[in-house]
Amino acid sequence: MPRPRLYVSRSDLGWGPTPASYADPKSGLVIHYDSVDQGLAAAPHAACLDYWRRTRAFHTGPRRRWADLAYSFLCCAHGYVVEGRGLYRQQAAQPGGNSTHYSATLATGPGDPVTPEQIDAVRLLRAWLMEPDTSVAGTVLGHRDFVSTSCPGDTAYALVRDGTFTRPPGAGTEGDDMLGLKRGDRGQRVTLLQQMLLYAGGRLPVHGVDGDYGSETADAVLSVRRSMGSSVTSGDEITGYALAQIHAAVARRQAGAVS
Ligand SMILES: [Zn+2]
Ligand SMILES: [Zn+2]
């Protein structure tokens, strides 16, 4: 498999080769986030590249003095894999795993959604790293699996734990996956629904994205549907109408955030 179709290389960014030292990480991929909300899912992709340049300046500047950007890659909200240190380099991302695992940041903060495109970017990156020439293990971990840290945030860590990132590229990012879900259901499709609800402006203040369609998720479904003008009184099931309204709420929120 060639490198991910939506790929931004260092040379695309106008950067030379990284000065970071050689390594051959084989043990898997570690997911990171930013400690501050960045709002990149609702911004144009150019904002991701600006973010990447700023992060590099910060990491190589007087407060960090690292050789380069900490991470191997960025998997952005628009589905791009953006090169950081890239292949075969020591990182400054996860002490204890900087030469054994590759690192990818989602550039999200605690309140930012992880988009379906972003999930697929992680899957494509993982599949690429598992190719015979690099032959990295398919394991996906979160930064908090190495040290005590909030990183990669509860939203992304739920996706690490429930296996969302280790599914094949293209699997389960379509809305149809959520059709027919109902209160009491559990698992990856519920995780996806919960991501979409957050993306649509819904709130999951207590349990967050936990893959469990309980009363909080039902309340979020109801509030998102009502925000789109529905007069339903229950959020206990994802009907075709419910799904259409959730998608419309996402689209409306994206349009609003851009203007
Ligand atoms: Zn981290
Ligand atoms: Zn982007």
Side-chain angles (χ1 to χ4, degrees):
M1 182 187 294
R3 68 188 193 187
R5 185 172 56 84
L6 299 177
Y7 190 86
V8 180
S9 68
R10 291 180 71 90
S11 60
D12 292 335
L13 291 159
W15 299 353
T18 179
S21 54
Y22 176 85
D24 190 8
K26 289 287 191 204
S27 303
L29 178 64
V30 182
I31 303 299
H32 296 263
Y33 82 153
D34 196 295
S35 53
V36 178
D37 284 350
Q38 300 294 328
L40 294 170
H45 176 60
C48 301
L49 302 183
D50 288 344
Y51 170 86
W52 207 223
R53 292 190 173 95
R54 281 200 312 278
T55 304
R56 183 173 184 239
F58 176 67
H59 286 173
T60 59
R63 293 181 54 193
R64 291 290 184 272
R65 298 190 184 284
W66 292 334
D68 201 346
L69 240 159
Y71 309 107
S72 311
F73 301 98
L74 158 69
C75 292
C76 88
H78 310 92
Y80 287 82
V81 176
V82 187
E83 190 174 24
R85 296 191 184 202
L87 295 179
Y88 302 116
R89 297 295 167 177
Q90 175 86 19
Q91 302 132 76
Q94 65 263 336
N98 280 324
S99 60
T100 54
H101 296 70
Y102 280 102
S103 54
T105 182
L106 306 180
T108 47
D112 283 325
V114 176
T115 67
E117 292 83 358
Q118 197 157 29
I119 290 169
D120 220 41
V122 173
R123 290 170 174 169
L124 285 163
L125 173 61
R126 172 180 174 270
W128 181 51
L129 292 174
M130 289 172 71
E131 284 293 292
D133 47 345
T134 36
S135 62
V136 176
T139 308
V140 177
L141 298 171
H143 189 179
R144 67 176 70 168
D145 291 320
F146 289 79
V147 289
S148 176
T149 170
S150 66
C151 187
D154 293 343
T155 302
Y157 195 61
L159 299 172
V160 168
R161 295 302 300 242
D162 75 6
T164 293
F165 290 132
T166 56
R167 296 182 73 196
T173 53
E174 299 81 14
D176 288 352
D177 256 33
M178 294 178 276
L179 190 63
L181 282 173
K182 55 191 184 313
R183 186 165 170 163
D185 285 345
R186 289 166 183 268
Q188 211 158 275
R189 294 164 68 223
V190 177
T191 303
L192 189 63
L193 169 66
Q194 291 171 327
Q195 295 289 340
M196 287 290 290
L197 290 169
L198 293 178
Y199 204 20
R203 294 184 64 248
L204 300 167
V206 178
H207 301 291
V209 177
D210 63 356
D212 188 347
Y213 195 151
S215 61
E216 185 171 271
T217 300
D219 287 348
V221 170
L222 183 59
S223 80
V224 167
R225 294 194 63 182
R226 295 189 75 106
S227 78
M228 295 308 295
S230 172
S231 57
V232 292
T233 55
S234 161
D236 285 353
E237 192 184 350
I238 305 303
T239 60
Y241 282 121
L243 195 55
Q245 285 162 345
I246 292 167
H247 280 299
V250 170
R252 185 177 69 172
R253 194 154 174 259
Q254 282 179 314
V258 170
S259 59

PDB file of all heavy atoms in Angstrom, residues 8 40-41 43-49 74-82 118, ligand 2:
ATOM      1  N   VAL A   8       0.612  14.998   3.461  1.00  0.00           N
ATOM      2  CA  VAL A   8       1.371  16.240   3.319  1.00  0.00           C
ATOM      3  C   VAL A   8       2.768  15.957   3.863  1.00  0.00           C
ATOM      4  O   VAL A   8       2.923  15.623   5.051  1.00  0.00           O
ATOM      5  CB  VAL A   8       0.716  17.401   4.109  1.00  0.00           C
ATOM      6  CG1 VAL A   8       1.537  18.677   3.940  1.00  0.00           C
ATOM      7  CG2 VAL A   8      -0.725  17.616   3.655  1.00  0.00           C
ATOM      8  N   LEU A  40     -10.142  22.738  14.981  1.00  0.00           N
ATOM      9  CA  LEU A  40      -9.700  22.531  13.594  1.00  0.00           C
ATOM     10  C   LEU A  40     -10.745  21.804  12.744  1.00  0.00           C
ATOM     11  O   LEU A  40     -10.774  21.985  11.533  1.00  0.00           O
ATOM     12  CB  LEU A  40      -8.364  21.777  13.569  1.00  0.00           C
ATOM     13  CG  LEU A  40      -7.189  22.575  14.155  1.00  0.00           C
ATOM     14  CD1 LEU A  40      -5.958  21.691  14.321  1.00  0.00           C
ATOM     15  CD2 LEU A  40      -6.872  23.787  13.277  1.00  0.00           C
ATOM     16  N   ALA A  41     -11.612  21.013  13.376  1.00  0.00           N
ATOM     17  CA  ALA A  41     -12.628  20.287  12.599  1.00  0.00           C
ATOM     18  C   ALA A  41     -13.568  21.260  11.888  1.00  0.00           C
ATOM     19  O   ALA A  41     -14.099  20.954  10.825  1.00  0.00           O
ATOM     20  CB  ALA A  41     -13.430  19.360  13.510  1.00  0.00           C
ATOM     21  N   ALA A  43     -12.629  24.330  10.961  1.00  0.00           N
ATOM     22  CA  ALA A  43     -11.818  25.306  10.227  1.00  0.00           C
ATOM     23  C   ALA A  43     -11.348  24.690   8.913  1.00  0.00           C
ATOM     24  O   ALA A  43     -11.388  23.472   8.754  1.00  0.00           O
ATOM     25  CB  ALA A  43     -10.609  25.705  11.073  1.00  0.00           C
ATOM     26  N   PRO A  44     -10.906  25.519   7.959  1.00  0.00           N
ATOM     27  CA  PRO A  44     -10.338  24.944   6.731  1.00  0.00           C
ATOM     28  C   PRO A  44      -9.027  24.197   7.026  1.00  0.00           C
ATOM     29  O   PRO A  44      -8.353  24.493   8.029  1.00  0.00           O
ATOM     30  CB  PRO A  44     -10.066  26.154   5.841  1.00  0.00           C
ATOM     31  CG  PRO A  44     -10.460  27.355   6.597  1.00  0.00           C
ATOM     32  CD  PRO A  44     -10.899  26.967   7.969  1.00  0.00           C
ATOM     33  N   HIS A  45      -8.691  23.273   6.157  1.00  0.00           N
ATOM     34  CA  HIS A  45      -7.498  22.445   6.365  1.00  0.00           C
ATOM     35  C   HIS A  45      -6.214  23.292   6.502  1.00  0.00           C
ATOM     36  O   HIS A  45      -5.278  22.894   7.211  1.00  0.00           O
ATOM     37  CB  HIS A  45      -7.357  21.441   5.224  1.00  0.00           C
ATOM     38  CG  HIS A  45      -6.122  20.619   5.299  1.00  0.00           C
ATOM     39  ND1 HIS A  45      -5.835  19.788   6.367  1.00  0.00           N
ATOM     40  CD2 HIS A  45      -5.063  20.527   4.450  1.00  0.00           C
ATOM     41  CE1 HIS A  45      -4.658  19.208   6.166  1.00  0.00           C
ATOM     42  NE2 HIS A  45      -4.175  19.640   5.018  1.00  0.00           N
ATOM     43  N   ALA A  46      -6.184  24.431   5.860  1.00  0.00           N
ATOM     44  CA  ALA A  46      -4.987  25.299   5.969  1.00  0.00           C
ATOM     45  C   ALA A  46      -4.671  25.611   7.432  1.00  0.00           C
ATOM     46  O   ALA A  46      -3.502  25.774   7.805  1.00  0.00           O
ATOM     47  CB  ALA A  46      -5.204  26.586   5.186  1.00  0.00           C
ATOM     48  N   ALA A  47      -5.706  25.652   8.273  1.00  0.00           N
ATOM     49  CA  ALA A  47      -5.487  25.936   9.697  1.00  0.00           C
ATOM     50  C   ALA A  47      -4.707  24.801  10.364  1.00  0.00           C
ATOM     51  O   ALA A  47      -3.965  25.033  11.326  1.00  0.00           O
ATOM     52  CB  ALA A  47      -6.827  26.152  10.399  1.00  0.00           C
ATOM     53  N   CYS A  48      -4.858  23.580   9.853  1.00  0.00           N
ATOM     54  CA  CYS A  48      -4.104  22.445  10.406  1.00  0.00           C
ATOM     55  C   CYS A  48      -2.614  22.626  10.115  1.00  0.00           C
ATOM     56  O   CYS A  48      -1.764  22.331  10.954  1.00  0.00           O
ATOM     57  CB  CYS A  48      -4.579  21.130   9.804  1.00  0.00           C
ATOM     58  SG  CYS A  48      -6.323  20.785  10.066  1.00  0.00           S
ATOM     59  N   LEU A  49      -2.319  23.092   8.909  1.00  0.00           N
ATOM     60  CA  LEU A  49      -0.909  23.274   8.534  1.00  0.00           C
ATOM     61  C   LEU A  49      -0.305  24.441   9.322  1.00  0.00           C
ATOM     62  O   LEU A  49       0.859  24.376   9.731  1.00  0.00           O
ATOM     63  CB  LEU A  49      -0.789  23.488   7.023  1.00  0.00           C
ATOM     64  CG  LEU A  49      -1.374  22.345   6.180  1.00  0.00           C
ATOM     65  CD1 LEU A  49      -1.143  22.588   4.694  1.00  0.00           C
ATOM     66  CD2 LEU A  49      -0.817  20.980   6.594  1.00  0.00           C
ATOM     67  N   LEU A  74       0.862  13.984  12.116  1.00  0.00           N
ATOM     68  CA  LEU A  74      -0.427  14.556  12.512  1.00  0.00           C
ATOM     69  C   LEU A  74      -1.509  13.872  11.681  1.00  0.00           C
ATOM     70  O   LEU A  74      -1.351  13.736  10.461  1.00  0.00           O
ATOM     71  CB  LEU A  74      -0.428  16.070  12.226  1.00  0.00           C
ATOM     72  CG  LEU A  74      -1.776  16.795  12.076  1.00  0.00           C
ATOM     73  CD1 LEU A  74      -2.516  16.858  13.409  1.00  0.00           C
ATOM     74  CD2 LEU A  74      -1.558  18.224  11.547  1.00  0.00           C
ATOM     75  N   CYS A  75      -2.589  13.423  12.324  1.00  0.00           N
ATOM     76  CA  CYS A  75      -3.762  12.929  11.592  1.00  0.00           C
ATOM     77  C   CYS A  75      -4.865  13.956  11.819  1.00  0.00           C
ATOM     78  O   CYS A  75      -5.435  14.034  12.908  1.00  0.00           O
ATOM     79  CB  CYS A  75      -4.183  11.558  12.104  1.00  0.00           C
ATOM     80  SG  CYS A  75      -2.984  10.268  11.732  1.00  0.00           S
ATOM     81  N   CYS A  76      -5.147  14.759  10.811  1.00  0.00           N
ATOM     82  CA  CYS A  76      -5.999  15.931  11.032  1.00  0.00           C
ATOM     83  C   CYS A  76      -7.476  15.629  10.839  1.00  0.00           C
ATOM     84  O   CYS A  76      -7.862  14.585  10.303  1.00  0.00           O
ATOM     85  CB  CYS A  76      -5.545  17.105  10.168  1.00  0.00           C
ATOM     86  SG  CYS A  76      -6.264  17.152   8.524  1.00  0.00           S
ATOM     87  N   ALA A  77      -8.292  16.568  11.257  1.00  0.00           N
ATOM     88  CA  ALA A  77      -9.748  16.420  11.236  1.00  0.00           C
ATOM     89  C   ALA A  77     -10.304  16.273   9.822  1.00  0.00           C
ATOM     90  O   ALA A  77     -11.428  15.817   9.645  1.00  0.00           O
ATOM     91  CB  ALA A  77     -10.396  17.620  11.920  1.00  0.00           C
ATOM     92  N   HIS A  78      -9.518  16.671   8.815  1.00  0.00           N
ATOM     93  CA  HIS A  78      -9.985  16.592   7.431  1.00  0.00           C
ATOM     94  C   HIS A  78      -9.519  15.313   6.746  1.00  0.00           C
ATOM     95  O   HIS A  78      -9.742  15.130   5.549  1.00  0.00           O
ATOM     96  CB  HIS A  78      -9.491  17.816   6.661  1.00  0.00           C
ATOM     97  CG  HIS A  78      -9.780  19.102   7.372  1.00  0.00           C
ATOM     98  ND1 HIS A  78      -8.872  19.679   8.239  1.00  0.00           N
ATOM     99  CD2 HIS A  78     -10.897  19.869   7.410  1.00  0.00           C
ATOM    100  CE1 HIS A  78      -9.418  20.771   8.769  1.00  0.00           C
ATOM    101  NE2 HIS A  78     -10.641  20.902   8.288  1.00  0.00           N
ATOM    102  N   GLY A  79      -8.822  14.463   7.485  1.00  0.00           N
ATOM    103  CA  GLY A  79      -8.426  13.171   6.940  1.00  0.00           C
ATOM    104  C   GLY A  79      -7.020  13.128   6.362  1.00  0.00           C
ATOM    105  O   GLY A  79      -6.653  12.123   5.740  1.00  0.00           O
ATOM    106  N   TYR A  80      -6.238  14.176   6.553  1.00  0.00           N
ATOM    107  CA  TYR A  80      -4.869  14.180   6.049  1.00  0.00           C
ATOM    108  C   TYR A  80      -3.903  13.598   7.081  1.00  0.00           C
ATOM    109  O   TYR A  80      -4.061  13.838   8.287  1.00  0.00           O
ATOM    110  CB  TYR A  80      -4.392  15.606   5.745  1.00  0.00           C
ATOM    111  CG  TYR A  80      -5.004  16.215   4.517  1.00  0.00           C
ATOM    112  CD1 TYR A  80      -6.272  16.799   4.560  1.00  0.00           C
ATOM    113  CD2 TYR A  80      -4.308  16.223   3.304  1.00  0.00           C
ATOM    114  CE1 TYR A  80      -6.838  17.371   3.430  1.00  0.00           C
ATOM    115  CE2 TYR A  80      -4.863  16.789   2.173  1.00  0.00           C
ATOM    116  CZ  TYR A  80      -6.131  17.357   2.244  1.00  0.00           C
ATOM    117  OH  TYR A  80      -6.677  17.925   1.124  1.00  0.00           O
ATOM    118  N   VAL A  81      -2.916  12.882   6.581  1.00  0.00           N
ATOM    119  CA  VAL A  81      -1.751  12.525   7.383  1.00  0.00           C
ATOM    120  C   VAL A  81      -0.665  13.530   7.025  1.00  0.00           C
ATOM    121  O   VAL A  81      -0.308  13.670   5.856  1.00  0.00           O
ATOM    122  CB  VAL A  81      -1.280  11.086   7.090  1.00  0.00           C
ATOM    123  CG1 VAL A  81       0.003  10.777   7.862  1.00  0.00           C
ATOM    124  CG2 VAL A  81      -2.378  10.093   7.437  1.00  0.00           C
ATOM    125  N   VAL A  82      -0.177  14.258   8.032  1.00  0.00           N
ATOM    126  CA  VAL A  82       0.830  15.288   7.794  1.00  0.00           C
ATOM    127  C   VAL A  82       2.120  14.839   8.473  1.00  0.00           C
ATOM    128  O   VAL A  82       2.123  14.448   9.646  1.00  0.00           O
ATOM    129  CB  VAL A  82       0.369  16.660   8.347  1.00  0.00           C
ATOM    130  CG1 VAL A  82       1.359  17.757   7.944  1.00  0.00           C
ATOM    131  CG2 VAL A  82      -1.035  17.005   7.847  1.00  0.00           C
ATOM    132  N   GLN A 118     -10.829  11.790  10.412  1.00  0.00           N
ATOM    133  CA  GLN A 118      -9.629  11.677  11.244  1.00  0.00           C
ATOM    134  C   GLN A 118      -9.390  10.225  11.672  1.00  0.00           C
ATOM    135  O   GLN A 118      -8.254   9.742  11.671  1.00  0.00           O
ATOM    136  CB  GLN A 118      -9.852  12.552  12.473  1.00  0.00           C
ATOM    137  CG  GLN A 118      -8.652  12.915  13.256  1.00  0.00           C
ATOM    138  CD  GLN A 118      -8.924  14.180  14.039  1.00  0.00           C
ATOM    139  OE1 GLN A 118     -10.070  14.473  14.416  1.00  0.00           O
ATOM    140  NE2 GLN A 118      -7.888  14.951  14.281  1.00  0.00           N
TER     141      GLN A 118
HETATM  142 ZN    ZN B   2      -6.757  19.337   8.236  1.00  0.00          ZN
END
